[in-house]
Amino acid sequence: TDRTIDFTTNDLDGPTILLDEPHDLQTGDVVVYHNLGGAGKEIGGLVDGESYFVIREGEEGISLAATSAQARENQLIDMDTSEAGTNHRFELLKPTIDALAFGVAVSASGSMGKGLTGALAGAGAAAINTIDANVAAYIKDASGGSKKVEAVTGGVTLSANDGSSILADAGGFAIGLAANAGRGNAGAGGIGASASRNDIGKGNNGHSVTATIENSVVEAAVGGVTVSAGSTAKIDALAVGGALAASGSLGRSSAALAGGGAATNNDIDGHVEASIKTGSTVMTTDGGDINLSARDSSQIFSESVGAALAAAGSVGGSSLAAAVGVALANNTIDTDIAAYVNTDGTAQSTPPAAAVDAAGSIQVQAIEDASIGALAVAASVTIAAAQNSALALSGGGANATNVILT
């Protein structure tokens, strides 16, 4: 359980629940409904302890659907409060990581003598996060007779959905300041760096979302048979590295060096499957449909910023200022999506083959709807001033690499 949301029947406006404050729920998120008003006081259309799929209705409203596919198609559950108690609750089922790594360093020095005055500062931060989850809904070895699955007047729904999310921020900031008011040299340096690495499905256990009927007999009436699997895995990463170095001398030379760097590396790697497998017989009557749907809606959004500022000044000598800013972003989504009726999941069926017989329509669909948004910014500024010679050097580089594989 990620968290709970309490509401009352007064919050219902038809099929929509209006919460007391803005929420971050998205269409496809999974919630578990709980009746807090006593036995028999559930909201009509909902069952205490059952899971439902969110349909986002603006910043403060949500509706519910029975399956992830119905949530995407905006097929709402009608809710009746006429016999319901007042208080109710949702549990949000969503593996979530929210991480912050932050490093700061400040160094300052000053002198009125003839020697060297120096200041060096370095700061770094890293956030490393991994989620591996296997979500499965299945009917297996219900092979007929008293062991079969049958909905005499309604339908059979098998649904698996994953909404794992990682939110990671990392920042490293360094400031170095040096000043000599005598006849000595002054030097300052600062380095700030940060890195963020986030993986969903790159660990030893992998990451999969599967809804499967295997070696089973499933019969349904007008409600049909629905087998659906969906992933809305999400990574939102920010890495910022910044540095400031400044030095000044009244008598001799001064130098300032600054470097800021940031990198994000994000991967979503998984398997989404909706299938009817070996030895299964799936049948509907009374116009019932058979629907298999696998959908990947994974998202990555990453921001990487590297910035540096160096300033050096000398009244009696020379000055040197140099700054470098670097930003890197590397993002990959590699998800296998499969929806099929088969014996072993391969292109060639091997006996005993699965049998599918629908009184209505048969629909099998696999949809890739993944997206990546990336921003990489590098900036550097240098200032050098002196009575004699002055030199200012700056450099910046940014790169974003984004790949979606299916």
Side-chain angles (χ1 to χ4, degrees):
T1 299
D2 181 44
R3 65 179 185 273
T4 60
I5 299 174
D6 291 340
F7 64 98
T8 71
T9 50
N10 294 327
D11 297 324
L12 267 73
D13 182 8
T16 301
I17 302 170
L18 299 176
L19 303 177
D20 293 334
E21 58 187 25
H23 63 81
D24 62 351
L25 299 178
Q26 302 297 322
T27 296
D29 285 349
V30 182
V31 295
V32 178
Y33 166 69
H34 292 289
N35 163 37
L36 303 182
K41 296 297 183 178
E42 295 91 349
I43 293 174
L46 304 182
V47 178
D48 188 25
E50 290 294 321
S51 298
Y52 298 94
F53 294 82
V54 169
I55 301 173
R56 183 180 175 89
E57 305 282 6
E59 293 186 353
E60 297 184 358
I62 63 170
S63 298
L64 300 178
T67 69
S68 59
Q70 291 174 356
R72 292 191 297 269
E73 295 170 1
N74 206 40
Q75 297 181 16
L76 314 180
I77 294 176
D78 290 327
M79 290 181 276
D80 181 7
T81 61
S82 60
E83 298 183 7
T86 301
N87 298 310
H88 306 269
R89 173 176 293 168
F90 287 133
E91 287 183 273
L92 178 61
L93 300 182
K94 189 175 182 179
T96 301
I97 293 176
D98 191 344
L100 172 65
F102 197 76
V104 177
V106 178
S107 177
S109 64
S111 173
M112 299 185 66
K114 296 181 179 181
L116 173 65
T117 302
L120 296 174
I128 301 175
N129 307 290
T130 300
I131 293 178
D132 282 340
N134 293 311
V135 182
Y138 57 88
I139 299 173
K140 185 176 182 180
D141 295 332
S143 53
S146 61
K147 296 173 64 177
K148 71 179 180 180
V149 176
E150 181 179 12
V152 177
T153 59
V156 175
T157 298
L158 193 65
S159 180
N161 191 76
D162 172 62
S164 301
S165 69
I166 295 176
L167 175 62
D169 296 332
F173 305 92
I175 299 175
L177 303 173
N180 190 306
R183 298 189 57 81
N185 297 315
I191 297 177
S194 69
S196 176
R197 180 177 181 85
N198 307 287
D199 297 319
I200 296 179
K202 298 292 283 187
N204 295 329
N205 296 325
H207 194 85
S208 65
V209 186
T210 58
T212 302
I213 298 174
E214 183 174 0
N215 192 35
S216 298
V217 176
V218 178
E219 300 176 359
V222 65
V225 176
T226 299
V227 181
S228 66
S231 174
T232 56
K234 181 179 180 180
I235 295 175
D236 191 340
L238 170 66
V240 179
L244 167 65
S247 66
S249 174
L250 292 178
R252 302 190 68 181
S253 299
S254 68
L257 304 175
T264 63
N265 194 317
N266 308 292
D267 287 282
I268 297 177
D269 189 353
H271 177 73
V272 181
E273 175 186 320
S275 60
I276 299 175
K277 288 186 174 181
T278 307
S280 296
T281 300
V282 180
M283 302 177 61
T284 64
T285 59
D286 297 334
D289 301 329
I290 297 177
N291 296 310
L292 283 84
S293 174
R295 187 184 189 108
D296 175 46
S297 299
S298 300
Q299 292 181 317
I300 293 176
F301 183 70
S302 68
E303 296 173 294
S304 181
V305 179
L309 171 62
S314 174
V315 175
S318 301
S319 65
L320 169 66
V324 176
V326 177
L328 303 173
N330 187 10
N331 307 294
T332 302
I333 296 177
D334 186 1
T335 303
D336 298 324
I337 310 145
Y340 59 87
V341 178
N342 211 310
T343 58
D344 56 9
T346 63
Q348 299 297 322
S349 181
T350 305
V356 175
D357 186 0
S361 64
I362 298 175
Q363 184 178 50
V364 180
Q365 60 179 353
I367 302 172
E368 174 61 272
D369 190 29
S371 63
I372 296 176
L375 174 66
V377 178
S380 63
V381 177
T382 56
I383 301 172
Q387 182 177 359
N388 294 326
S389 59
L391 177 62
L393 302 173
S394 65
N399 181 72
T401 302
N402 307 296
V403 178
I404 296 178
L405 303 172
T406 301

